[in-house]
Amino acid sequence: ADRSVQVKLVLLGEAAVGKSSVVLRFVSNEFQPNKEPTIGAAFLTQKCRLEDRVLRYEIWDTAGQERFHSLAPMYYRNAQAAVVVYDVTKASSLEKAKTWVKELQRQANPNIVIALAGNKIDLVQPSPSPPSTPGSPEPEDEADDATATPGENAGVEAGEGENLRQVPRDEAEAYAQEAGLLFFETSAKTGEGIVEIFTEIAKKIPID
Ligand code: GTP
Ligand code: MG
């Protein structure tokens, strides 16, 4: 028999921040570069294995477009967990996330576990630099600092996408702590931080 505990979880957040993509990564370990906007909501399930138990998430992936806002209470009503997503390259999406958190804290189950996820972190990280040749930390030629091209690797070292970041990690993390939320920076594209959201939430769901 399936003895796993069912956990109803809702995703909320501004349109196009990547809610459906986060779920697709968690449920299927896939990414779609041109994912279509959600209409209404989508329902998916996925098991989550902890050391001592297995949970079965029943996931409501809501539509972020404003015209669907009034449907949200149907999905967060009775939810035991919520993932509120924003886009680290879009400051307004954190403000929208804060309004969702306020709404949840006012209207949802008082014991709801809420996680804040800053998604699209791949856009603000340096692309991985090519691996250096093993055993030869320096180039073969005798270039010293004086002859090296100035700033040759500056873009890579500084992170070529860093200018896209509109929400500093510290700022979002401080807000999350103050509001009593779990906090993650994630990429549905690379998978970074995705499983962690659901695992950390699972650890906070009481056994009953
Ligand atoms: P609504 O359903 O309209 O509320 O949008 P959503 O929040 O579900 O966003 P969705 O998952 O549809 O993603 C919107 C766009 O962003 C798509 O083109 C995705 O491929 C892209 N996207 C989602 N997550 C990421 C990510 O982590 N990195 C990058 N680079 N793009 C992403
Ligand atoms: Mg969607």
Side-chain angles (χ1 to χ4, degrees):
D2 183 357
R3 298 183 64 253
S4 57
V5 177
Q6 320 236 330
V7 177
K8 186 178 165 188
L9 180 147
V10 63
L11 279 102
L12 297 164
E14 190 171 89
V17 294
K19 297 176 296 298
S20 299
S21 300
V22 165
V23 176
L24 183 66
R25 174 61 73 187
F26 178 56
V27 170
S28 307
N29 201 20
E30 286 170 21
F31 178 71
Q32 293 174 1
N34 295 302
K35 195 145 182 56
E36 69 291 348
T38 304
I39 303 299
F43 179 75
L44 299 95
T45 68
Q46 174 67 312
K47 284 188 178 174
C48 181
R49 197 171 296 276
L50 294 183
E51 276 180 27
D52 54 338
R53 60 197 164 119
V54 178
L55 286 74
R56 181 173 181 270
Y57 277 117
E58 300 187 327
I59 301 168
W60 287 101
D61 169 26
T62 67
Q65 291 176 47
E66 204 47 46
R67 62 193 168 114
F68 296 116
H69 189 123
S70 62
L71 299 180
M74 288 199 305
Y75 300 107
Y76 64 66
R77 197 165 52 96
N78 301 324
Q80 291 142 283
V83 181
V84 180
V85 184
Y86 68 97
D87 173 346
V88 295
T89 71
K90 198 173 177 201
S92 66
S93 70
L94 178 62
E95 297 313 306
K96 182 68 191 179
K98 290 179 181 178
T99 69
W100 279 121
V101 169
K102 276 194 204 117
E103 182 167 337
L104 287 170
Q105 290 180 334
R106 244 182 249 141
Q107 320 262 23
N109 173 349
N111 300 319
I112 192 169
V113 177
I114 306 174
L116 179 68
N119 191 41
K120 307 199 186 183
I121 195 71
D122 60 283
L123 294 177
V124 304
Q125 286 170 338
S127 38
S129 24
S132 55
T133 312
S136 49
E138 295 298 327
E140 290 303 325
D141 64 21
E142 291 178 341
D144 57 21
D145 289 344
T147 59
T149 309
E152 199 173 8
N153 287 322
V156 173
E157 296 302 322
E160 290 179 357
E162 194 60 31
N163 58 334
L164 285 174
R165 185 188 277 274
Q166 286 190 3
V167 180
R169 183 187 170 105
D170 290 356
E171 183 190 313
E173 200 167 15
Y175 159 71
Q177 189 164 3
E178 185 184 306
L181 320 174
L182 294 168
F183 176 73
F184 304 89
E185 284 193 335
T186 63
S187 169
K189 185 174 178 179
T190 67
E192 180 175 347
I194 302 294
V195 170
E196 286 82 350
I197 301 173
F198 296 89
T199 306
E200 293 306 309
I201 288 173
K203 290 179 186 168
K204 299 201 96 185
I205 300 289
I207 306 170
D208 49 17

